Amino acid sequence: MSATTLGTRLAAAARPAPIWPSGWAAGLSWLGAAAVIALWPDADDLGRTWELAALSAGFGGAILFGAIAATLPGFSPRFAPLRAAGPWLLVLALALTAWELATAKLDWLPRPFFAAPQSILEVFTDDYARLGESVGRSLLLVLPGYALGAGIGFLFGVAMGWSRLVGYWAHPVVRLIGPLPATAWLPIAFFAFSSSRGASTFLIALASFFPVAVLTWSGVSSVSRAYYDVARTMGASPWFLVRKVAVPAAMPSVFVGLFMGLGASFSVLVVAEMMGVKAGLGWYMQWAQGWAAYANMYAALLVMALMCSGAVTLLFRLRDRLLSWQKGLVRW
């Protein structure tokens, strides 16, 4: 690196970064939401109002601190992800204020069908033990079911795409049975498995099997024959062609199937946990509906959404790691 280039980079690092307008607006909006929550009287006797106001104020103060630190020399690159999230942070603050006004303050939305934000916070502070146990049970159910269905679907899709014989016999069956919703197999699941856990795992695995199998088969069957011809000229065996040519070339389609299968697994999870299990997010939501505890139901839905979002993020990280060679071919 030349002295001129080094000097240019050091000068750029020493210059203060531009002001972050959306960060200032988001921080002030969160502080405004805290003021509305704390100072505007509730229409009914609700708990955890002051705790919600303190959380909102703390979040707004943290954003304002980030807005100040993001303009300091040398700190701007570290706050680049936070800068990108500025509009969302602002929208979330405005949404919280509107939600608080429509439920807890002005009582526009009928209760108990629409819960106030502090009511959902109260679920996390008072019923965390039962909710945490339900999260653990759901993870122990959805992860093995998804892994089993995705693994079998991947192998089945590779076999369908590679072998004409397997594709000839399996393709009509997959096209006939695959589009059926997994919940339609409830009677067969009850008959085939002696425990509700086995039946639930079967339904989740079935939900993830179809998209993974179909998209893996599509990816393998669409690999250019020129790749196989080049590998054969170098003495590649059929097993080598499958492992080193067909499967790597089909991985983009495989990951699309994995994403679709993950969403289908969480959709079936709620129904699967209603089949006699004693804990789980699906069971928790059914229990909350039975007692008209809609705040508990919304809290469970929020936790499930965060679980699914976290799983999708991990799957994205795995895809970026395994398909890093694609970054020079397509725009991410």
Side-chain angles (χ1 to χ4, degrees), residues 151-241:
I152 297 176
F154 173 75
L155 296 176
F156 197 74
V158 171
M160 287 176 59
W162 179 258
S163 173
R164 291 184 179 180
L165 180 62
V166 176
Y168 174 80
W169 290 105
H171 185 209
V173 177
V174 171
R175 291 189 62 180
L176 179 65
I177 299 178
L180 298 177
T183 53
W185 296 88
L186 277 172
I188 296 178
F190 276 120
F191 176 78
F193 297 92
S194 57
S195 64
S196 59
R197 181 178 179 83
S200 302
T201 303
F202 166 76
L203 291 177
I204 295 173
L206 186 63
S208 61
F209 165 82
F210 175 67
V212 175
V214 170
L215 287 165
T216 302
W217 159 66
S218 175
V220 172
S221 61
S222 62
V223 175
S224 175
R225 293 189 178 274
Y227 297 158
Y228 298 126
D229 294 337
V230 171
R232 288 192 182 99
T233 58
M234 303 180 67
S237 63
W239 176 238
F240 183 90
L241 293 176

Side-chain angles (χ1 to χ4, degrees), residues 130-144 197 204 269 273 277-283 307:
R130 184 184 306 174
L131 191 57
E133 181 186 3
S134 298
V135 170
R137 294 291 185 89
S138 293
L139 288 175
L140 291 176
L141 185 62
V142 72
L143 291 180
R197 181 178 179 83
I204 295 173
L269 175 65
E273 287 184 332
V277 299
K278 300 301 181 181
L281 290 175
W283 171 87
M307 285 172 53

